Amino acid sequence: MSDRLSVLKTYKLYVGGKFPRSESGRVYEVTDSKGNWLANAPLSSRKDARDAVVAARKAFGGWSGATAYNRGQILYRVAEMLEGRREQFAAEVAEAEGLSKAKAAAQVDAAIDRWVWYAGWSDKVAQIAGAANPVAGPYFNLSSPEPTGVVAVLAPQESSFLGLVSVIAPAIVTGNTVVVVTSEKAPLPALSLGEVLATSDLPGGVVNILSGRVNELGGPLAAHQDVNAIDLAGAAADAELVKALETAAADNLKRVLRPRAVDWTADPGTERMLAFLETKTVWHPMGV
Amino acid sequence: MTFEYAPAPESRAVVDIAPSYGLFIDGEFADAAGGKVFKTVSPANEEVLSEVAQASAEDVDRAVKAARKAFEKWSALPGAERAKYLFRIARLIQERSRELAVLESLDNGKPIRESRDSDLPLVAAHFFYYAGWADKLGHAGYGADPKPLGVAGQVIPWNFPLLMLAWKIAPALACGNTVVLKPAETTPLSALFFADICRQAGLPKGVVNILTGDGSTGAELVAHPDVNKVAFTGSTEVGKAIARTVAGTDKKLTLELGGKAANIVFDDAPIDQAVEGIVNGIFFNQGHVCCAGSRLLVQESVQDELLEALKRRMSTLRVGDPLDKNTDIGAINSAEQLARIKELADAGESEGAERWAPACELPDAGYWFAPTLFTGVTQAHRIAQEEIFGPVLSVLTFRTPEEAVAKANNTPYGLSAGVWTEKGSRILWMANKLRAGIVWSNTFNKFDPASPFGGYKESGFGREGGRHGLEAYLDV
């Protein structure tokens, strides 16, 4: 018997393009659906959340200023990189969610396809959400959508990977940057996604991934004055928490995407992209 | 100033104001349940114009019930029929526009020139624009058959009483919602006249309900459990309170809040046109405009030339009787608002900015404030950060386009901005960088029903006007 002892992975956060441990030095035990220990995940603190917001803000100018074509290329690159690691993610999702290998693989495939779908939206969303406005006067008048800024995302609790991708991709494809709090009990696929994003030409800070307690991180993110919007998907099960977070978000009039029942395998539509866009209307006189 | 103008007052005879008005609920005027009333005065001379009902929680409930009942039939009407009602309303507004303009100037204090030439044409245009959408909603990009939300609770401010009513009611009805609208406490009359237009148009009872009252009435309406959609235009402070009230509910919310717009003038701008734009940007409607260009950012190299031209132009502004057709700047809407403007202007002085106003005689009665300019303003000054909502302009300077952008974006607001330059590429670059919902390039304070309006950041969320404005009233 010379069974090889496997090498365990130390899972880390993904913030500002780097892989830090939680500044708090805390971790928590992550188990599979049967309660078997899988790994220790970083237990992010409020300070980690604030650092992630700083990183997201820093990345916003460059990412929102990139051409839509460029952003689309990078989202597609994420799909390419994931395709090569399908097996790894299928195994992680199977363990995280207690799914059969086949069902987990289907989730991963759907997640990859979702990156491709959103990649194609990058240079089309302005065309469907913008408008040339025929005002009653000699003016050129054009409305176009722009990213709202830094978006805090509480990722869905149950769908650790497909759900996660389904909330990140629509927020960033239009030029927003995000701070995402992973599924609390199944954070490992999300933390591994950080490794994929880091090698996908995505500028550091565009996506920042925190594992930890929604109850601990949701409040500081909802109250943060430099966060422009919040997606409450991950708080869906707790109506009181949703109300508290939405109330805190009012302090700087964050855009709030309320949670509702979602089938993550269904066609997502444009809702999650449009929720984090502002409409800018520019007027200019016409004439000689 | 030595020019003498002959007075040219608009006739008050075209409007017949009743001594008292009730609440408009389910197609009828009725007293408030508690019997409470308050007076509305003309801010130009403090004359009591009428007495209106103060709606209580009980009245709010009655109005919401009426709107709920009416919703069933109204939302089931073919869009083409709803369109015809809205077209009728638009036509009636046109027919009665002189009467409404005079009424609006009496109750609000704004110059008749503006209510007649700006407000009323836009009010009619809004109803025409959204009338046309009522039977075309499937083409608006929100699905093949988008549904209305239900009962809309709408709270509007006093700066453009009838225009804000139109912005709220026209898209709501076009989409098939019914409404309960609360006009501002100091300017309730034109909404009550609008109730009469609904009657003349034969609008089904309960589709539009008007509740007069103060902030407590608005708070009751926003909190009512059977309201499906809340739309508010007003201060950022109240907007935040409303956002907290609807937190955790299914109510859809749109907010049009405050602003502190930068009006940015580059050294190559046509100075005379820029001066007109600056004056229009801040002194239009006494500066009671959320998107007013209240911060002038002028490139340092043309500061002296521009300020000289601006002061010369400001010296020709006529302040006085809102019903005089020569008047440029009318009365401040209320004693409270005047006190707020004075407090902030005094803060500007005490914080070290230099205050200037043209010599100008203000009437004895009523609420008045001369057009005022502050130079030497820094970004930290309260007058550079807080919305004054009055005819007060703060002047700051910049050297480079990057600095102009940084300063323009340096407030919690993001409603509007202006850019003045002859260089096209710079206009487009600036328009791209400014974090504001509306960018006026080489123009300012232009509005149109086809053009979406609304802010970034703490200026609120959602858009009014245009195809985008439909989203607020549809289940999308």
Side-chain angles (χ1 to χ4, degrees), chain B residues 159-180:
Chain B
N159 56 344
F160 295 93
L162 204 50
L163 183 59
M164 292 300 103
L165 174 147
W167 282 26
K168 297 282 181 293
I169 291 183
L173 298 194
C175 294
N177 304 276
T178 54
V179 308
V180 179

Side-chain angles (χ1 to χ4, degrees), chain A residues 128-130 133 135-136 139 141 143 146-148 246-247 250-253 255 258 278-285, chain B residues 240 244 246 248-249 251 257 431 434-439 441-442 446 448 450-452 455-457 460 463 467-468:
Chain A
I128 65 135
N133 308 306
V135 296
Y139 295 94
N141 183 294
S143 293
E146 290 190 347
T148 197
E246 190 175 344
T247 305
D251 281 349
N252 72 334
L253 293 164
R255 283 62 177 138
R258 290 174 179 151
E278 304 288 343
T279 297
K280 176 182 281 176
T281 300
V282 178
W283 292 68
H284 196 284
Chain B
K240 289 179 181 179
R244 287 181 201 112
V246 306
T249 71
K251 286 175 193 173
L257 309 175
L434 291 165
R435 302 287 292 165
I438 302 104
V439 177
S441 317
N442 290 334
K446 292 286 180 289
D448 194 279
S451 179
Y456 284 40
K457 299 195 281 185
R463 292 294 179 269
R467 178 182 69 79
H468 293 74

Side-chain angles (χ1 to χ4, degrees), chain B residues 108 110 114 118-119 157-160 163-164 167 233-234 257-261 279-294 337 341 387-392 415-416 440 444-447 453:
Chain B
N108 168 282
K110 63 173 68 197
E114 290 178 6
S118 176
D119 291 36
W158 45 259
N159 56 344
F160 295 93
L163 183 59
M164 292 300 103
W167 282 26
T233 296
L257 309 175
K260 192 72 189 173
V279 166
N280 178 43
I282 184 62
F283 301 122
F284 175 65
N285 206 43
Q286 297 73 247
H288 300 330
V289 187
C290 47
C291 52
S294 55
Q337 185 56 27
I341 295 168
E387 185 176 40
I388 300 176
F389 224 66
V392 180
L415 187 51
S416 61
W440 284 295
F444 208 92
N445 266 349
K446 292 286 180 289
F447 307 94
F453 183 95

Side-chain angles (χ1 to χ4, degrees), chain B residues 105-129:
Chain B
S105 281
L106 278 171
D107 203 17
N108 168 282
K110 63 173 68 197
I112 186 71
R113 196 164 52 78
E114 290 178 6
S115 51
R116 182 193 63 193
D117 299 346
S118 176
D119 291 36
L120 263 298
L122 277 171
V123 170
H126 267 273
F127 279 97
F128 276 116
Y129 178 79

Side-chain angles (χ1 to χ4, degrees), chain B residues 266-280:
Chain B
F266 284 92
D267 58 7
D268 67 342
I271 292 290
D272 290 345
Q273 287 165 38
V275 165
E276 283 309 303
I278 294 161
V279 166
N280 178 43

Side-chain angles (χ1 to χ4, degrees), chain B residues 140-158:
Chain B
Y142 301 110
D145 186 22
K147 299 286 181 241
L149 295 164
V151 175
Q154 308 177 317
V155 179
I156 59 170
W158 45 259

Side-chain angles (χ1 to χ4, degrees), chain B residues 69-90:
Chain B
K69 193 164 140 246
F71 174 68
E72 212 173 301
K73 282 188 182 159
W74 180 250
S75 59
L77 268 189
E81 295 302 303
R82 287 202 307 274
K84 285 194 279 184
Y85 281 112
L86 290 169
F87 278 120
R88 277 188 180 192
I89 290 172

Side-chain angles (χ1 to χ4, degrees), chain B residues 92-389:
Chain B
L92 288 166
I93 288 167
Q94 284 183 323
E95 282 172 14
R96 296 177 64 175
S97 67
R98 183 56 60 96
E99 173 193 2
L100 292 166
V102 172
L103 176 74
E104 196 82 322
S105 281
L106 278 171
D107 203 17
N108 168 282
K110 63 173 68 197
I112 186 71
R113 196 164 52 78
E114 290 178 6
S115 51
R116 182 193 63 193
D117 299 346
S118 176
D119 291 36
L120 263 298
L122 277 171
V123 170
H126 267 273
F127 279 97
F128 276 116
Y129 178 79
Y130 281 108
W133 267 122
D135 54 357
K136 300 169 190 69
L137 295 173
H139 299 277
Y142 301 110
D145 186 22
K147 299 286 181 241
L149 295 164
V151 175
Q154 308 177 317
V155 179
I156 59 170
W158 45 259
N159 56 344
F160 295 93
L162 204 50
L163 183 59
M164 292 300 103
L165 174 147
W167 282 26
K168 297 282 181 293
I169 291 183
L173 298 194
C175 294
N177 304 276
T178 54
V179 308
V180 179
L181 177 127
K182 189 200 88 71
E185 187 181 3
T186 59
T187 54
L189 294 180
S190 51
L192 297 166
F193 275 57
F194 179 78
D196 190 53
I197 286 175
C198 293
R199 177 190 65 79
Q200 289 186 331
L203 193 71
K205 290 176 191 303
V207 172
V208 168
N209 304 275
I210 309 282
L211 295 181
T212 47
D214 58 14
S216 69
T217 310
E220 293 287 351
L221 178 57
V222 165
H224 193 287
D226 204 30
V227 164
N228 305 100
K229 195 258 156 19
V230 171
F232 171 75
T233 296
S235 74
T236 290
E237 186 193 349
V238 175
K240 289 179 181 179
I242 290 173
R244 287 181 201 112
T245 301
V246 306
T249 71
D250 290 333
K251 286 175 193 173
K252 192 162 178 169
L253 176 65
T254 43
L255 299 171
E256 296 289 353
L257 309 175
K260 192 72 189 173
N263 208 353
I264 305 160
V265 181
F266 284 92
D267 58 7
D268 67 342
I271 292 290
D272 290 345
Q273 287 165 38
V275 165
E276 283 309 303
I278 294 161
V279 166
N280 178 43
I282 184 62
F283 301 122
F284 175 65
N285 206 43
Q286 297 73 247
H288 300 330
V289 187
C290 47
C291 52
S294 55
R295 285 184 299 153
L296 174 63
L297 296 186
V298 56
Q299 198 155 20
E300 216 173 78
S301 48
V302 288
Q303 183 190 11
D304 293 346
E305 185 191 352
L306 182 80
L307 285 179
E308 194 193 315
L310 179 59
K311 286 177 176 176
R312 195 165 58 234
R313 177 67 180 85
M314 282 172 67
S315 301
T316 67
L317 292 172
R318 293 176 57 81
V319 182
D321 182 3
L323 286 190
D324 191 317
K325 291 164 202 161
N326 294 321
T327 293
D328 298 303
I329 297 182
I332 300 301
N333 183 250
S334 65
E336 294 73 39
Q337 185 56 27
L338 180 59
R340 164 102 182 132
I341 295 168
K342 282 182 170 165
E343 187 217 323
L344 276 160
D346 291 347
E349 253 180 305
S350 65
E351 288 180 6
E354 193 179 327
R355 181 176 185 158
W356 181 88
C360 120
E361 249 177 70
L362 300 179
D364 297 327
Y367 318 122
W368 304 93
F369 197 89
T372 298
L373 182 75
F374 277 99
T375 49
V377 179
T378 75
Q379 293 191 81
H381 286 157
R382 284 182 70 192
I383 53 171
Q385 291 290 329
E386 294 180 34
E387 185 176 40
I388 300 176
F389 224 66

